[in-house]
Amino acid sequence: MPPNSTATGDLILVVDDDVDIATFVRINLEQQGYQVVTAHNGIEALSLIEERKPALAIIDWMMPGLDGLQVTRRVRSNPLTAPIPIILLTARGQAAHKVMGLDVGADDYVVKPFDTLELVARVRSTLRRNQDYRDVSPLTGLPGNNRILREITERMRSGSDYAVCHIDIDRFKSVNDAYDIARGDLFIISLSKSLHRAVTQVGPPPAFFGHVGGDDFVVVSNPDQVRLITELTVLDFQDASDALYDEQDRIRGYVEVTMRNGTVQQANLVTLSIGVALSTVRHYRDAHDAIAVASEMKSVAKKHPGSYVALDRRSRT
């Protein structure tokens, strides 16, 4: 079950500094079968969004401190929360204000005083429109395959240059074999956090990253961001993954894996292989084509010792 859902309905965050309004919205949504949490200021809202990953957030525009626009901007700037749909709730009904809210990344806009049936209908339609965004990895909380394909497709349609990076943990199976699956999951989560720190440090324009499954991740960015993102990811993950090994294995630089026939083999500590497809050197028919080339280059990277980044430089019209 996705982390933004429960057994009885999607989790929705309602943010309004007016406690009565927040309570009113919560009660009406709960009557429709949704799970609801409330916040009464922008800081509290951002904390709940990062912690709970709601399926949708309803945020009041006019709040003291961080207002709804500022909260929306911060949600959209964080790759881990950017896919969450947002409905702005406000007394401002002018077209200019609606455009302003949509420009910062809101998905919809409801004007106070609002009809309860209208609000519920907008919640339902917004959730339906964002089914792709809710395709997330249950382990990392990152966007999954459908969202990754959509991101690449959108960049293709925009006409701007882009890069697709396929990232894989070398010798990941040795971790599961030497320890257990739970330890392996920690390595996967660690890589997701390393990617997040790298993408955040590189800054705008925001790069996108998702979790294909297992120990495979995809990053979609501007071509000129690839070098720094991959360098930062490799360095960060090297330190983070080393700390996940037992001390004895970390010091000697390998783990011992007992095979089915009883023999013991040594496996070096994990590294990263990264394959990169660039729109600047090759035209791709569709998103699957770009991912296929990045995956092919990842296989090339695996032939090199240590962490390695392999860029596809073959031109094709």
Side-chain angles (χ1 to χ4, degrees), residues 31-53:
Q31 289 177 347
Q32 300 298 318
Y34 295 106
Q35 298 293 303
V36 184
V37 290
T38 59
H40 304 298
N41 60 69
I43 297 298
E44 184 182 3
L46 290 171
S47 178
L48 282 171
I49 287 172
E50 184 173 349
E51 177 185 351
R52 301 292 299 276
K53 300 290 192 306

Side-chain angles (χ1 to χ4, degrees), residues 5 17 40 64 69 96 151 171 191 219 240 248 263 270 275 288 292 298:
S5 298
D17 60 307
H40 304 298
L69 291 185
E151 178 68 24
R171 296 175 297 282
L191 178 53
V219 174
Q248 176 184 353
T263 62
V270 298
H288 292 91
K298 182 199 70 174

Side-chain angles (χ1 to χ4, degrees), residues 138-156:
L139 178 60
T140 63
L142 293 177
N145 290 319
N146 289 340
R147 181 64 185 90
I148 292 170
L149 291 171
R150 176 172 175 171
E151 178 68 24
I152 299 172
T153 300
E154 288 177 351
R155 298 209 181 204
M156 287 179 170

Side-chain angles (χ1 to χ4, degrees), residues 220-246:
V220 187
S221 70
N222 283 356
D224 58 5
Q225 293 176 314
V226 169
R227 180 174 179 178
L228 187 53
I229 289 175
T230 55
E231 286 180 351
L232 291 172
T233 299
V234 167
L235 291 174
D236 190 280
F237 181 69
Q238 178 179 312
D239 291 338
S241 61
D242 282 353
L244 294 175
Y245 282 99
D246 288 352

